[in-house]
Amino acid sequence: MTTPNQTPNLPVILTGDRPTGPLHLGHFVGSLRNRVAYQHSYQQFVMLADAQALTDNMDDIGKVHRNVVEVALDYMAVGIDPALTTILIQSQIPELAELTFYYLNLVTVARLERNPTVKEEIRQRGFERDIPAGFLTYPASQAADITAFKASLVPVGEDQIPMIEQTNEIVRKFNRMYNCAILVEAKALVPEIGRLPGIDGKAKMSKSLGNTINLGATPDEIRAAVKQVYTDPLHLRVQDPGHLEGNVAFMYLDAFDTEKAALEEMKAHYVRGGLGDSIVKKRLEVVLQEMLAPIRERRELLAQDRGYVMQVLKDGTMKAREVAARTADEVRAALGLSYF
Amino acid sequence: MTTPNQTPNLPVILTGDRPTGPLHLGHFVGSLRNRVAYQHSYQQFVMLADAQALTDNMDDIGKVHRNVVEVALDYMAVGIDPALTTILIQSQIPELAELTFYYLNLVTVARLERNPTVKEEIRQRGFERDIPAGFLTYPASQAADITAFKASLVPVGEDQIPMIEQTNEIVRKFNRMYNCAILVEAKALVPEIGRLPGIDGKAKMSKSLGNTINLGATPDEIRAAVKQVYTDPLHLRVQDPGHLEGNVAFMYLDAFDTEKAALEEMKAHYVRGGLGDSIVKKRLEVVLQEMLAPIRERRELLAQDRGYVMQVLKDGTMKAREVAARTADEVRAALGLSYF
């Protein structure tokens, strides 16, 4: 019942999240909304990347464990349907570690150190020379995840494109060295709508910056967050002309308000002058409350039936493991590691 | 029948070989002889480290595949008894890759780069900056092998002691961070008898130097090798005094001739003068022919029953996998990665 009946001819998408905190509006715009659409036209695997999350959270494993279920609740609450999408827990598929192990032989240390995504992330985390080896090598692990499911499409942000390129280098090298077509090259699927800014106007909405609105936020939390939403600091008096650039209230309305004509009118009025921020925020609050209410309700209902959620994760993981195990069998055979 | 009935209270030994070529007299002296003895007083796991062999043989996988069976034949021919020792194939136990994956998060790139064994091996192979990541990280893989079987003793050469130290660092770090005693520290068991020199007098007998006598050598191959054995280059005339230092013929006799009194007499005669190299080599040939004949015969018999050999490897690997899977379960649980 809960395992997807996927049509094998559809292209495969692999996507997922590091379960280190609850998902928020930024995830909704950047990925979750797309996944709900993709599941009708692709074979979609959504991975709770707990093993990858550990690469820099070995000292806070409780956070990772806890958030596996929290993120799964977010997935199902926004409409990722276990009957259409395979939701899996990375750590429960040892074949992914096994593929990583072999791919590490196909990539040099120098190449990993040159990976721009890894470089930037190492810089952000301040690791310097004390990089955990698992962190430096995680592109090989990502290549394992992508190739295990023979994904040809991987939705990623602009900044993750070098990761996909590194996966494809491994794919081409493996297929060439072992004269086979076992591994499949993947294409980065970069969403058209860019990142949602944080409520404080910072470019990125991120739990570590404390500028998020979580998908499970209560009505009060939504109200409080909207009050703090950054608008136009030069728009001091209602009658003054307001600016739309960098105005988070209008960026959110652009992303979520479905009444586009009324929104355009409101924007014109704001730019002309005579429209106060409080009116704009009132509209934003209505839009967000309406959008998040059913998500929150579904989330609360699901949270009460943890047994069901765990069964969904178990079924999805078992289904995904079968696929990954077939790929691992093929890889092992190509490497001359089949004996029995 | 072929799986060992091990007494759980006995200390566990893990040992093994990278299957990249047939084993030779150097292996016999340095490790195989000891393993035949150890199997009576320890729980012994002997690993065919094919996955590790790939870390620098991705371009010659056939060599690794072929030699898994060749080395297994060597093991059984010298008297490693599948009823007493668990012989396993590393690549068939994905839990070893899984443990490696997690241990990579517990060791920094800088620490791996400082490992003297790895440094020396990287230098020998001329990798420079183009080290395969799997090669740099193989100490984590070795830690996985050792800890998976909870081995407390690991027979290694002097040069491998830093590897055991690195394993123990991972063991201590893991047990401390997760407040447990799951992983077991290992002790290096350095054999008293040092390395056997090559027939050319070089310090190391090694197939790449072409100075070996293989365990499966034919009588003719043994005869030819003994003729080439390096003796005393200053011992030009029979009546001259000869030297024992660096004299490979006598070093081999020391290692293999069981008639110690006669050997001591021969040495005294040689040093005194009046004993020709040809007499010494004749004795050496007798000793080696006698020692290797039964090994070669057992090897040939076993080689004719490949089905039996594969069954031994399969049984041993399955038995070993159960043990490794239990450890992986414990490690996953300690890391908060148990969900179902």
Side-chain angles (χ1 to χ4, degrees):
Chain A
M1 271 267 297
T2 53
T3 51
N5 294 314
Q6 290 160 332
T7 315
N9 291 332
L10 295 178
V12 177
I13 280 199
L14 175 73
T15 170
D17 296 279
R18 296 163 49 109
T20 52
L23 303 187
H24 50 62
L25 282 184
H27 296 107
F28 187 75
V29 167
S31 57
L32 298 175
R33 241 174 11 178
N34 296 332
R35 294 179 196 171
V36 174
Y38 293 152
Q39 65 188 348
H40 298 286
S41 30
Y42 298 105
Q43 277 194 70
Q44 182 168 250
F45 292 87
V46 176
M47 183 171 76
L48 293 154
D50 59 343
Q52 196 198 111
L54 285 187
T55 58
D56 59 340
N57 283 289
M58 288 297 270
D59 54 355
D60 196 1
I61 57 173
K63 180 173 77 180
V64 175
H65 182 87
R66 222 166 36 241
N67 281 297
V68 162
V69 179
E70 293 303 314
V71 172
L73 288 173
D74 288 330
Y75 286 166
M76 290 193 268
V78 298
I80 294 177
D81 179 353
L84 297 171
T85 291
T86 306
I87 306 175
L88 62 118
I89 304 181
Q90 186 187 28
S91 68
Q92 307 303 294
I93 304 183
E95 288 79 6
L96 300 176
E98 201 184 351
L99 291 173
T100 304
F101 189 94
Y102 294 118
Y103 294 169
L104 284 175
N105 298 333
L106 295 176
V107 57
T108 66
V109 175
R111 175 66 183 87
L112 289 169
E113 286 172 344
R114 276 199 314 271
N115 183 310
T117 316
V118 176
K119 250 167 122 166
E120 171 60 16
E121 288 178 349
I122 286 170
R123 197 194 58 73
Q124 280 172 14
R125 285 167 176 79
F127 279 140
E128 317 240 328
R129 293 307 294 160
D130 286 336
I131 321 156
F135 195 86
L136 179 68
T137 57
Y138 94 80
S141 159
Q142 229 168 46
D145 300 334
I146 293 169
T147 58
F149 302 108
K150 308 211 169 178
S152 57
L153 291 169
V154 182
V156 289
E158 204 79 58
D159 56 331
Q160 294 282 318
I161 291 177
M163 300 297 287
I164 308 297
E165 195 31 57
Q166 185 142 26
T167 290
N168 287 339
E169 281 176 31
I170 291 173
V171 166
R172 288 189 293 265
K173 192 164 182 185
F174 185 93
N175 287 348
R176 189 179 64 239
M177 283 180 80
Y178 306 110
N179 195 25
C180 67
I182 294 169
L183 303 185
V184 175
E185 284 196 54
K187 246 183 78 173
L189 197 62
V190 181
E192 282 177 39
I193 298 173
R195 244 187 239 289
L196 204 66
I199 59 171
D200 56 0
K202 289 210 174 107
K204 196 180 170 184
M205 183 179 279
S206 141
K207 69 176 172 308
S208 56
L209 298 172
N211 61 3
T212 68
I213 300 178
N214 291 342
L215 294 176
T218 62
D220 283 349
E221 286 168 346
I222 296 168
R223 191 168 307 119
V226 169
K227 279 207 180 109
Q228 290 179 55
V229 159
Y230 182 85
T231 55
D232 174 5
L234 304 173
H235 189 230
L236 300 173
R237 294 174 306 175
V238 173
Q239 62 267 37
D240 287 345
H243 297 85
L244 300 178
E245 308 79 52
N247 189 319
V248 175
F250 279 105
M251 290 162 98
Y252 284 10
L253 282 169
D254 273 336
F256 303 114
D257 195 342
T258 51
E259 294 178 21
K260 295 297 173 201
L263 174 58
E264 289 313 312
E265 232 170 80
M266 188 183 257
K267 282 185 189 172
H269 191 174
Y270 190 78
V271 169
R272 217 166 48 231
L275 183 66
D277 279 7
S278 64
I279 308 286
V280 177
K281 288 194 170 182
K282 202 164 177 179
R283 173 65 193 159
L284 177 60
E285 200 203 320
V286 169
V287 166
L288 291 181
Q289 295 284 12
E290 275 178 7
M291 187 183 75
L292 290 174
I295 294 175
R296 182 177 57 247
E297 279 155 31
R298 274 197 299 273
R299 204 182 187 290
E300 281 167 3
L301 264 174
L302 286 161
Q304 283 163 33
D305 193 356
R306 203 184 155 96
Y308 167 73
V309 176
M310 294 316 289
Q311 193 59 48
V312 164
L313 295 181
K314 191 172 180 180
D315 291 344
T317 300
M318 279 176 62
K319 161 119 192 164
R321 184 165 184 187
E322 276 173 37
V323 178
R326 271 200 300 277
T327 305
D329 283 347
E330 291 177 317
V331 164
R332 243 183 272 112
L335 293 175
L337 301 175
S338 298
Y339 304 95
F340 307 127
Chain B
M1 270 263 298
T2 53
T3 51
N5 296 311
Q6 291 161 330
T7 316
N9 292 330
L10 295 177
V12 177
I13 280 198
L14 175 73
T15 170
D17 296 279
R18 295 163 49 109
T20 52
L23 303 186
H24 50 62
L25 282 184
H27 297 106
F28 188 74
V29 168
S31 57
L32 297 174
R33 242 175 7 181
N34 297 331
R35 294 178 196 172
V36 175
Y38 293 151
Q39 66 189 346
H40 298 286
S41 29
Y42 299 103
Q43 277 194 70
Q44 181 168 252
F45 292 87
V46 177
M47 183 171 76
L48 293 154
D50 59 344
Q52 195 197 112
L54 285 187
T55 58
D56 59 340
N57 283 289
M58 287 298 270
D59 53 355
D60 196 1
I61 58 172
K63 180 173 78 180
V64 175
H65 181 87
R66 222 166 35 241
N67 281 297
V68 162
V69 179
E70 293 303 314
V71 173
L73 288 172
D74 288 330
Y75 286 167
M76 290 193 267
V78 299
I80 293 177
D81 180 354
L84 297 171
T85 291
T86 306
I87 306 175
L88 61 117
I89 304 180
Q90 186 187 28
S91 68
Q92 307 303 294
I93 304 183
E95 287 80 5
L96 299 176
E98 200 184 351
L99 291 173
T100 304
F101 188 94
Y102 295 118
Y103 294 170
L104 285 176
N105 299 334
L106 295 176
V107 57
T108 66
V109 175
R111 176 65 183 88
L112 289 168
E113 286 173 343
R114 275 199 314 271
N115 184 311
T117 315
V118 177
K119 249 167 122 164
E120 171 59 16
E121 288 178 348
I122 285 171
R123 196 195 58 74
Q124 280 173 15
R125 285 168 177 79
F127 279 140
E128 317 236 330
R129 293 308 294 159
D130 287 335
I131 321 156
F135 195 85
L136 178 68
T137 57
Y138 94 81
S141 160
Q142 230 168 44
D145 300 334
I146 295 169
T147 57
F149 303 108
K150 308 209 169 180
S152 57
L153 290 169
V154 182
V156 290
E158 204 79 57
D159 55 330
Q160 295 281 318
I161 292 177
M163 300 297 287
I164 308 298
E165 195 30 59
Q166 185 143 25
T167 290
N168 287 338
E169 281 176 30
I170 291 172
V171 166
R172 288 189 293 264
K173 193 164 181 184
F174 185 93
N175 287 347
R176 189 179 64 240
M177 284 181 80
Y178 306 110
N179 196 24
C180 67
I182 293 169
L183 302 185
V184 175
E185 285 196 54
K187 246 183 78 172
L189 198 62
V190 181
E192 282 176 39
I193 298 172
R195 243 187 240 289
L196 204 66
I199 59 171
D200 56 0
K202 288 209 175 106
K204 195 180 170 186
M205 183 178 279
S206 141
K207 70 177 172 306
S208 56
L209 298 172
N211 62 3
T212 68
I213 300 179
N214 291 341
L215 294 175
T218 64
D220 284 348
E221 286 168 346
I222 296 167
R223 190 169 309 119
V226 169
K227 279 209 179 107
Q228 290 179 55
V229 159
Y230 182 85
T231 54
D232 174 5
L234 304 174
H235 189 229
L236 300 173
R237 293 174 307 176
V238 173
Q239 62 267 37
D240 288 343
H243 297 85
L244 299 178
E245 308 79 55
N247 189 319
V248 175
F250 279 105
M251 289 162 98
Y252 285 10
L253 283 169
D254 273 335
F256 303 114
D257 194 343
T258 52
E259 294 179 19
K260 296 296 173 201
L263 174 57
E264 289 313 310
E265 234 170 78
M266 189 184 257
K267 282 185 191 172
H269 192 174
Y270 190 78
V271 169
R272 217 165 48 231
L275 182 65
D277 279 6
S278 64
I279 309 286
V280 178
K281 288 194 169 182
K282 201 162 178 180
R283 174 64 192 159
L284 177 60
E285 201 205 319
V286 168
V287 167
L288 292 181
Q289 295 285 12
E290 275 178 6
M291 188 183 76
L292 291 174
I295 293 175
R296 183 177 55 245
E297 280 156 30
R298 274 197 299 273
R299 203 182 187 290
E300 282 166 2
L301 264 174
L302 285 161
Q304 283 162 32
D305 194 355
R306 203 185 155 96
Y308 167 73
V309 176
M310 294 316 290
Q311 194 58 49
V312 163
L313 295 181
K314 191 172 181 180
D315 291 345
T317 300
M318 278 176 63
K319 161 123 191 161
R321 184 165 185 187
E322 276 172 39
V323 178
R326 271 199 301 278
T327 305
D329 283 347
E330 291 176 318
V331 164
R332 242 183 274 113
L335 292 175
L337 300 175
S338 299
Y339 303 96
F340 306 127

